[in-house]
Amino acid sequence: QVQLVESGGGSVQTGGSLRLSCAASEYTYRSNCMGWFRQAPGKERERVASIYTGGGSTYYTDSVKGRFTISQDSAKNTVYLQMNSLKPEDSAMYYCAARPRWRYGGVCKEAEFGYWGQGTQVTVSS
């Protein structure tokens, strides 16, 4: 069973920073796509950022470019999302996600993510 263990959510004021962490097993983490999605009440889930852990290529949705950074620590099988200059519209439940191992390749397609963490709440107040 795939487990993605998230941590790091919380409440901050506009302009603040948070760092989310997602720990996975080596099997799930190694040379795979991992990412962060978010869903706010009444809105569709969207991919915020993703990374191919085998090569480091990254994706960011337009609204977070220049503010968020996704990174990896292969010694810890962990992916991070550093969120700076947070805005109220960033408030949402954030989910770590991973691609199933039977899929492969260095391009992380949104529809291919199939494993999900429990979610961590991020709230940004104005």
Side-chain angles (χ1 to χ4, degrees), residues 4-5 8-9 13 16 21-22 36 40 45 49 52 60 63 84-85 100 105 109 117 124:
L4 301 172
V5 181
Q13 293 187 328
S21 301
C22 175
W36 292 94
R45 184 178 63 196
Y52 176 62
Y60 296 94
S63 63
N84 297 329
S85 301
K109 300 177 182 178
V124 185

Side-chain angles (χ1 to χ4, degrees), residues 3-5 21-31 34 53 71-80 96:
Q3 283 191 314
L4 301 172
V5 181
S21 301
C22 175
S25 68
E26 181 182 4
Y27 178 75
T28 298
Y29 172 89
R30 178 175 47 86
S31 297
M34 293 189 68
T53 62
S71 61
Q72 62 184 104
D73 184 338
S74 296
K76 297 181 179 179
N77 301 325
T78 298
V79 171
Y80 302 97
C96 178

Side-chain angles (χ1 to χ4, degrees), residues 56-126:
S57 60
T58 58
Y59 162 88
Y60 296 94
T61 192
D62 286 345
S63 63
V64 308
K65 287 180 180 177
R67 301 188 297 123
F68 291 12
T69 303
I70 190 169
S71 61
Q72 62 184 104
D73 184 338
S74 296
K76 297 181 179 179
N77 301 325
T78 298
V79 171
Y80 302 97
L81 184 67
Q82 178 67 43
M83 305 184 293
N84 297 329
S85 301
L86 282 161
K87 305 175 181 180
E89 51 264 43
D90 294 317
S91 297
M93 186 70 80
Y94 283 69
Y95 297 91
C96 178
R99 185 177 64 182
R101 293 300 312 190
W102 59 270
R103 295 189 181 273
Y104 56 91
V107 178
C108 299
K109 300 177 182 178
E110 182 169 343
E112 292 183 343
F113 286 86
Y115 298 129
W116 303 92
Q118 78 281 5
T120 185
Q121 179 69 40
V122 172
T123 302
V124 185
S125 59
S126 58

